[in-house]
Structure formats: C-alpha cells, structure tokens
Amino acid sequence: MKNRDDMTFAPEEYQERLAALRVRIAERCLDAVVITDPENIMYLTDYQTTGYSYFQALIVPLDQEPIMITRALEESNVIERTWVEHSRPYPDTGDAIQMLVETLREFNLSNKRIGYERNSYFFPAYQQDFIHTTLTEGKLLDCFGIVEEGRICKSAAEIELMKKAAFATEVGMKAGLEAAVAGVSENEIGAAISAAMFRAGGEAPAVMPYVTSGPRTMIGHATWEGRIVGPNEHVFIEMSGCFRRYHTAMMRTVVNGPLNDSMYKAQELMKVALETLHGYVQPGMTVSDVDNLVRNIISHNDVGARLITRSGYSIGIAFPPSWDEGYICSLKQGDSTVLRKGMTFHIIPWMWGVDGNKTCGISDTIYVTDTGIESFFTLDKDFVVHPSAANSSEILTSKPSRKSQPTKEQPADRNIVNVQEAKDV
C-alpha cells in the first residue's frame, strides 16, 4: 500500500477499512474478493471516475496486496488518486473479464475461493456467465454486502466530510427557495440551486435536483421540464449536495400566495415527525421502530395525504444513478436492523396527495450518536411562502404572527411573517 497524504482521508483510515474487510473475508472462508461496485471501490481506495460504465474491479486477496482492473484510460485514476500499487489495465480492443481471469491466475488466485458481488449494477449477467465458464478451477461465491458492512457506520472523519456536503446542500436549497416564485420556470429554479451549490464547494451530485411545481409535484422523481410556476402554486424541491462523493439530501416546499389550511397542516405534521424523531430515536432501536414512528404520525392526517414510500434510507457515498444507500439499509416496516453510532440517514416524512393533487416535503439528513441523533442542517423547516402580489419583493414564511388578520385561506391560529432571517441561517 502506497503511503500518501493527498487522498480524501488519512492513510490510516484506508488501512483500517482494508483490515476490517479482510476480517470479514476470513469469516466467510474466502481467499479473495472481487469488488465491482464503484461506491465500494472508492470507499476502500479513494478511486473514482465517471467512466464506471466500463468494467472495473478491485481484487482484494486475504494475504496479498490488492490489484485494480480498469480500462486503460482509467488507470490514471488509480495512479493519481489511490494507494493501490498493482494495476492491470485492459485496452478498448481487449476483453475486461479475460483480463480479470488472467490477473487472478497471475496472482495464484484462480483455484481459490473467490467472492464476487453478484448483485452489483456494474457486473452484468453476461460478464458473470463468462467468468463462471472461464474460471473453472476455482470456486466463485456471492459476497454481496461484504464491503457495505463497513460502510453503513461512518467514521468521525466521514461525518466531518458529510458536513461539507451539507453546507453545499443548504446554500443550494436557499437559492432554490428564493428563486421559486410565480412566473419563473422550473429550469431557472434548478439552475439557481445548482449554481449556488457548486459555488459553495459542492461537487457533481449523483442526481441533479428534483424541481416540480403545481400538479407536477404528484409525479415521482420528476425533474424540471421548463414548466412556468403559476400564481398560487407550490414548488417541491428535493436535492443533495455532494463533497468527495458523500451526499446529504433535503426536501423543502415553497408556496406562492396564501397558505391554505391543508398545506399548513401538512407542514406542521412533518415538523412534528422530525421533532419527535430527534427527541426519541437512539442507538439500539430497529429501523422498523423508526419507520413506524414516522409512518404513524404522517398517516394520521385529514388532508388526504399518505407516506407512499419508506420513511428514510442510509446515505453517504454515491455515484449515479442514485444518491442513496437504501440498498444497504432503509427505514421500512419489518426490518430488524439495529441503529448504531455512525449510521447516517435521509429521513423523509413527506406527504403525497395533499388535497388529492399536491405533494410537499420537509426532510432531514441525520447521523446517529452515542445517545440519539443529530442533524447535518440548520435551515428552517417551515414552508417558504412568497406573496401573491407580482410586484412584491418580500419573501415570506409560514411562521405564526399575532398581527395579521385571518382570511378564508389563512386561519387566525397562524399567519405569515418575513423570512429573510431564515435565508441567513
């Protein structure tokens, strides 16, 4: 292992990750593993590239130095980014799986017990078939999840890195909330988010922001499509900042014009769900416990909404096509996974179908501590409310005020005040 000081984490962090992986390799009675998931390769070596659609693999023997298999163009990332000393690149005219087989033979591993990530997005069935028919002298066994066992709990250094991602998330979201006024296009809102996020030090996220308005908020995972935000319409934003491939995600909602009873109730219910979690959740609970807590709160509403998905998911290292680690752990009913210190989750008590035609959301990315959970964010959770008057420059939010007068759309028990201070958090 090269000892270098220009990687994302200190050399000792990678040494600990590799040592822990080898303990799990031994526990599974394997002699080596072939890691093909890009998040797992980065976690172990600091290797990253957008060229992961081409086959790449990290061979980790139990008692030899690891070896990287990459497309020839990508070998520069091994050399410039990682501690890996052995690299076997293949040309564009070559066969990646044949190179993998030849490398296993070169390092006397072809007749051993080899683990591979059978469920990896980036090791398709036809390539798996090839290695099974070619590497006949050894035994190939599924080891999917063997690296993820280490990834699920973030180290103190990883938490600090995610705080940098969170800063970019907050800056981007503030820009999006300010831009989401009647008369602008969803594209302009997306552009404002992205520009602010990148200027704040954020890097290319695994997924660009989701920006939808009006009836389009009922479409799952819709991106901006040029729609103009109309008067009295709301805008739903979900985005994630990224730093060194670590992500922290956030949902927020904007309302243009008066905030009606249903949307206000939705806002308050989501806030209650998050506040309850922060006061109740602790290590030792199961993820099913947490999901039930959120789901019971959100489900008891009289505005026609429901929590249509899981209530959260693990988040951390990610490459496209998704920013989440939900395949490692999700907050869902019946899952007995126990919360441990260092776990990180995007908590999403969002509400689908308010009044039958609106989706809104307030979410939080948290990390588990010794005694409870902490948020990566400080941004105000209330919906941002822009006045309906076209010539108004005020930016408003739904915090209560005793001064304003009740209207049909705005009940007396809560009103709207200036939110400039929320933007400056």
Side-chain angles (χ1 to χ4, degrees):
M1 177 183 285
K2 297 177 187 174
N3 191 5
R4 53 193 300 174
D5 60 4
D6 58 347
M7 296 188 295
T8 302
F9 299 101
E12 294 76 17
E13 181 102 0
Y14 295 104
Q15 291 166 4
E16 290 172 4
R17 294 176 185 181
L18 186 59
L21 174 61
R22 282 180 165 144
V23 169
R24 295 192 292 273
I25 292 173
E27 288 174 346
R28 298 198 189 190
C29 301
L30 298 171
D31 298 298
V33 292
V34 176
I35 304 302
T36 53
D37 186 277
E39 289 88 354
N40 289 341
I41 294 174
M42 182 182 176
Y43 173 77
L44 294 169
T45 69
D46 211 24
Y47 173 92
Q48 65 161 296
T49 176
T50 59
Y52 56 84
S53 57
Y54 287 85
F55 182 81
Q56 57 189 27
L58 177 70
I59 303 171
V60 183
L62 192 57
D63 54 7
Q64 299 181 61
E65 280 293 305
I67 313 104
M68 277 290 294
I69 309 294
T70 64
R71 183 187 180 202
L73 174 63
E74 307 301 342
E75 188 184 25
S76 57
N77 288 287
V78 181
I79 296 168
E80 295 298 328
R81 294 181 183 272
T82 80
W83 51 259
V84 177
E85 297 184 34
H86 302 304
S87 176
R88 296 295 181 270
Y90 60 88
D92 286 0
T93 55
D95 188 301
I97 305 304
Q98 187 61 47
M99 176 61 74
L100 173 61
V101 171
E102 290 175 0
T103 302
L104 289 170
R105 288 174 176 158
E106 176 188 354
F107 287 86
N108 300 313
L109 296 168
S110 59
N111 62 344
K112 304 294 186 181
R113 295 167 60 90
I114 307 297
Y116 71 102
E117 296 174 307
R118 188 168 181 264
N119 199 34
S120 172
Y121 288 166
F122 305 97
F123 197 7
Y126 80 93
Q127 290 182 332
Q128 293 186 27
D129 289 345
F130 184 92
I131 194 170
H132 274 284
T133 57
T134 305
L135 199 70
T136 56
E137 62 269 38
K139 183 174 286 188
L140 295 167
L141 301 163
D142 182 17
C143 71
F144 183 77
I146 196 168
V147 178
E148 287 87 345
E149 288 181 45
R151 282 176 53 197
I152 192 169
C153 291
K154 277 63 175 180
S155 67
E158 289 178 287
I159 297 295
E160 290 304 311
L161 204 68
M162 290 181 71
K163 289 179 180 179
K164 295 182 179 180
F167 177 75
T169 303
E170 288 207 343
V171 172
M173 182 60 81
K174 289 175 188 176
L177 296 174
E178 182 175 359
V181 298
V184 306
S185 70
E186 293 174 350
N187 294 47
E188 291 175 277
I189 300 168
I193 293 169
S194 301
M197 179 171 61
F198 296 151
R199 289 193 185 104
E203 297 162 4
V207 184
M208 292 298 286
Y210 296 110
V211 179
T212 55
S213 60
R216 289 192 71 243
T217 61
M218 293 292 291
I219 304 173
H221 286 146
T223 57
W224 56 80
E225 293 182 4
R227 184 182 187 275
I228 304 299
V229 180
N232 301 316
E233 286 189 336
H234 75 296
V235 179
F236 172 68
I237 301 172
E238 183 181 12
M239 57 159 294
S240 180
C242 172
F243 189 78
R244 301 297 187 268
R245 306 309 324 150
Y246 283 80
H247 292 68
T248 56
M250 177 190 289
M251 293 177 176
R252 289 293 188 270
T253 304
V254 175
V255 174
N256 288 288
L259 183 68
N260 68 25
D261 284 339
S262 296
M263 289 292 275
Y264 176 73
K265 288 178 179 179
Q267 169 194 273
E268 293 304 298
L269 204 57
M270 289 185 285
K271 286 165 58 181
V272 166
L274 290 174
E275 289 165 5
T276 303
L277 285 184
H278 277 276
Y280 189 78
V281 172
Q282 63 182 33
M285 294 177 64
T286 68
V287 297
S288 182
D289 293 334
V290 180
D291 179 80
N292 286 333
L293 191 64
V294 175
R295 195 168 301 279
N296 288 339
I297 293 172
I298 296 300
S299 297
H300 287 81
N301 71 80
D302 61 0
V303 297
R306 61 191 176 104
L307 179 56
I308 194 173
T309 62
R310 58 195 171 171
S311 61
Y313 47 80
S314 178
I315 191 167
I317 303 174
F319 288 82
S322 180
W323 66 46
D324 74 86
E325 297 177 338
Y327 68 98
I328 301 178
C329 184
S330 286
L331 304 182
K332 57 187 180 182
Q333 294 169 302
D335 193 324
S336 60
T337 301
V338 175
L339 296 186
R340 291 178 283 154
K341 178 183 178 181
M343 287 183 170
T344 51
F345 293 97
H346 182 208
I347 309 292
I348 49 173
W350 63 315
M351 300 185 72
W352 187 83
V354 176
D355 292 334
N357 62 357
K358 304 179 187 71
T359 293
C360 57
I362 303 170
S363 72
D364 195 8
T365 295
I366 59 94
Y367 56 98
V368 180
T369 68
D370 287 323
T371 57
I373 60 174
E374 294 288 341
S375 176
F376 283 101
F377 303 129
T378 60
L379 189 64
D380 192 86
K381 295 180 177 64
D382 284 341
F383 292 178
V384 168
V385 180
H386 294 291
S388 55
N391 60 355
S392 176
S393 60
E394 264 194 315
I395 297 174
L396 306 176
T397 188
S398 55
K399 287 186 176 180
S401 167
R402 298 177 181 174
K403 294 182 179 180
S404 63
Q405 297 300 314
T407 66
K408 183 177 180 180
E409 295 81 14
Q410 181 180 306
D413 62 343
R414 52 102 184 120
N415 295 290
I416 303 171
V417 296
N418 196 287
V419 75
Q420 188 63 45
E421 61 200 25
K423 293 168 53 190
D424 297 331
V425 171

